[in-house]
Every structure is written in structure tokens, then in C-alpha cells.
Amino acid sequence: MDTFALILTIGVALFFTYTNGFHDSANAIATSVSTRALTPRAALAMAAVMNLAGAFLGSGVAKTVSEGLIQTPEGSKGMGILFAALIGAIVWNLITWYFGLPSSSSHALFGGMVGAALAGGTTVYWHGVVDKVVIPMFVSPVVGLIAGYLVMTAIMWMFRRANPHKAKRGFRIAQTVSAAGMALGHGLQDAQKTMGIVVMALVIADVEDYGDPIPVWVKIACAVMLSLGTYAGGWRIMRTLGRKIIELDPPQGFAAETTGASIMFGSAFIFHAPISTTHVITSAIMGVGATKRVNAVRWGVAKNIVLGWFITMPAAALVAAACFGLVHLVAL
């Protein structure tokens, strides 16, 4: 039964990574597709490959997820907590994907972990949740907004005397590099989050010891599932990010992607903080768009997106807590 519970939990964790891939593929490539720098299929294939590569770049984020947010629960109840946390995150991912809302898969997962831990009577490291999740949740969009605005302002000043058609063609080519950077950052951030969950499951099952390095097969499995999900594509969310917030041109797309990628690499390598790729790229697009004129950004769409951000953690926590209750009943 314990082996079955471990396999089931790892299977659900990998399915979460898959939903994360198709839910968040828009983050990496929506801007490139909407500016026609890349065709949708080419963009998705490139993003899938870069996600795979990004997953192997570090393990700081995975360590934060597996050791810094909740106490590693024990026994069959512990496995039930992880299972419920993942179900909470998956359900919220599917709901927001259906409505085309670019909410954060990361915060859905963290909300699920906290909700399931509280329902299961496991200690939540609130200082870790505040320092590594809540503060970055508020800081990263602000940084994205301001940095996007400044990067775009700098580009406009540097190319103010350039031929507009030549500049746009150049930025279309440059966007393939910036989109690849976004996808690499997405793999670095999001594949590691699931790695952290799988490692927790292995520790609960006594297959691994607390603090052991992440097994290579876990890295490969999480990276491959994220890439497959990315290649499946999240067209609904892509439309929201690429077109509904603001109509982007290639220089704006390049500025937004460069800003987003820089913030993701910095937070992963310097702070080991699992930030939301969704929050970063969406806020960067808003900042870039505001350089045209403030009312060029469709703030009504932006308001709905931000509202979704605030709802994500509590909603996923509630679903996870309810799921743990059901698991507990069935297990009894």
C-alpha cells in the first residue's frame, strides 16, 4: 500500500507538471507569437527544449519547496497531504486554464501545500511562506512592471533614429533569443517546484533521506513532463497574454521577455525564491505597454488577472484541504 501511495503521488506530481507546462507555456512564448516573431508550433517546440534544459540548471528552488514551506509530514498521512496538495493545485490550474486566466501554477501548488498541511495537522513554516512566497508574490510584479517600463524606455531612446521597419525586423530576430531565455527561466523555476514535491514523497516513503541531493531520474521525469505539457500548448492563456492586455510589437515583446527572464534567473540563483513566471511576464507586458501611453494597456483585463493572482493561493488551499478530508475518510 505504501509503495502504491508513493507511485500514485509521484504520478499525480508529474501530471501537475504537465498541467503547469500547458498552463504556463504562454508565459514563455505569447509575446513572440503575438508579434509574429515565431510561429506557434516553432515557439512551442523551442520552449519545450529550453524548459528541459532549464530544469537542470540548479536546485535551490526545489530545496525551498521541499524543506522551507511545510514540515515534511510522515507516514501514510504525509503522503495523503502531498496528494491533496497536488490535487488542489491541478484543479485550480484547470479552472483558470478553462477561463483563459494566466494565474500562477506555482502559487496554486504552494496554496495546496499550505491548505493540505493545515488540514492534516502538519506544521507550516509561516516565516518560509512569507519570505519565499508571499513577499516575492508582491515584489516580483512591481519589479516586472517598473523594469519593463525602464527597459522599453531605454530601447526607444537607443533606437529613436533607427529605421522603424529595419528595427522591427531586427527585434523579431532578437525575440527568438529573449523567448528562449524566458523558457529557460521557466524550466529553471517550475520544473524544480515539482522536483521538491517528489523529493518530499521519497523522504516520506524512506526511499531518500532528508537533505539528500535530487535523484537524476526525478530531474529528468519532471523536466520531460514540463516540456511535454509546454508542447501541448495553452492557447487560451496565450491569447490573453499576447493580445488582450495590449497589442505588442517586436521591440515591446523583446523588452517584456528580457525583463521577465532576468527576474526569474535572479530570483532562482540569488534568493532561491520560487517566483511565478506568470506574475513576472504579465507585469512586464503591462510596464512595456505603459510606455506607449498609460491607457494603451487594457487595465480592465489586467485587473481581472491580478484578482486571479490574489484568489489563487486561498482557492487552491481550500480545494486541497477538502481533498485531504476525502482522502482521510477513504483511508479510514
Side-chain angles (χ1 to χ4, degrees):
M1 183 63 190
D2 287 347
T3 307
F4 173 75
L6 174 64
I7 292 168
L8 181 66
T9 304
I10 291 173
V12 173
L14 293 177
F15 179 68
F16 165 75
T17 312
Y18 181 83
T19 67
N20 188 346
F22 77 69
H23 192 277
D24 287 6
S25 57
N27 298 339
I29 61 171
T31 47
S32 312
V33 173
S34 71
T35 61
R36 296 182 175 81
L38 292 167
T39 63
R41 279 287 157 218
L44 283 168
M46 179 274 294
V49 171
M50 297 309 278
N51 271 339
L52 194 65
F56 291 92
L57 287 181
S59 59
V61 171
K63 196 172 178 66
T64 296
V65 172
S66 63
E67 298 174 16
L69 302 180
I70 65 172
Q71 184 180 22
T72 303
E74 295 179 355
S76 58
K77 187 175 89 166
M79 208 63 85
I81 287 170
L82 283 192
F83 178 81
L86 289 162
I87 295 295
I90 289 167
V91 167
W92 187 248
N93 266 1
L94 294 176
I95 290 169
T96 49
W97 166 80
Y98 181 79
F99 288 105
L101 204 64
S103 74
S104 167
S105 296
S106 311
H107 292 125
L109 179 61
F110 305 144
M113 287 173 73
V114 170
L118 289 173
T122 292
T123 304
V124 175
Y125 298 140
W126 290 110
H127 61 91
V129 173
V130 170
D131 291 351
K132 298 292 188 182
V133 179
V134 177
I135 290 174
M137 181 170 104
F138 286 101
V139 172
S140 61
V142 174
V143 172
L145 191 74
I146 295 168
Y149 183 87
L150 293 175
V151 169
M152 190 62 217
T153 303
I155 286 172
M156 285 160 65
W157 185 82
M158 286 162 66
F159 290 89
R160 66 193 183 283
R161 293 195 180 91
N163 178 305
H165 292 297
K166 278 186 179 175
K168 280 190 178 180
R169 199 160 54 240
F171 275 108
R172 270 208 179 92
I173 296 163
Q175 260 200 283
T176 57
V177 178
S178 59
M182 269 298 296
L184 197 67
H186 181 227
L188 172 66
Q189 280 279 346
D190 284 24
Q192 283 192 50
K193 289 159 192 168
T194 313
M195 288 178 206
I197 295 289
V198 174
V199 166
M200 282 181 87
L202 294 171
V203 170
I204 291 167
D206 282 334
V207 176
E208 291 274 312
D209 289 326
Y210 191 79
D212 278 358
I214 302 167
V216 174
W217 70 265
V218 173
K219 289 188 177 185
I220 292 169
C222 293
V224 167
M225 289 305 286
L226 187 71
S227 293
L228 289 174
T230 298
Y231 193 67
W235 304 108
R236 289 170 185 267
I237 293 168
M238 211 178 292
R239 276 196 292 274
T240 302
L241 273 182
R243 293 278 167 87
K244 287 187 181 174
I245 297 174
I246 185 169
E247 294 283 345
L248 292 167
D249 61 22
Q252 291 172 327
F254 174 79
E257 288 168 348
T258 303
T259 302
S262 304
I263 294 168
M264 284 192 293
F265 282 111
S267 61
F269 286 124
I270 300 167
F271 303 109
H272 298 162
I275 63 163
S276 166
T277 50
T278 311
H279 291 192
V280 168
I281 190 62
T282 307
S283 57
I285 289 170
M286 290 178 202
V288 164
T291 57
K292 266 187 179 176
R293 58 187 191 283
V294 174
N295 63 356
V297 178
R298 297 184 184 111
W299 295 107
V301 176
K303 184 190 76 176
N304 291 342
I305 291 168
V306 172
L307 200 63
W309 294 354
F310 284 108
I311 296 168
T312 293
M313 276 188 77
L318 285 171
V319 175
C323 181
F324 178 78
L326 284 172
V327 170
H328 196 57
L329 279 174
V330 172
L332 287 176

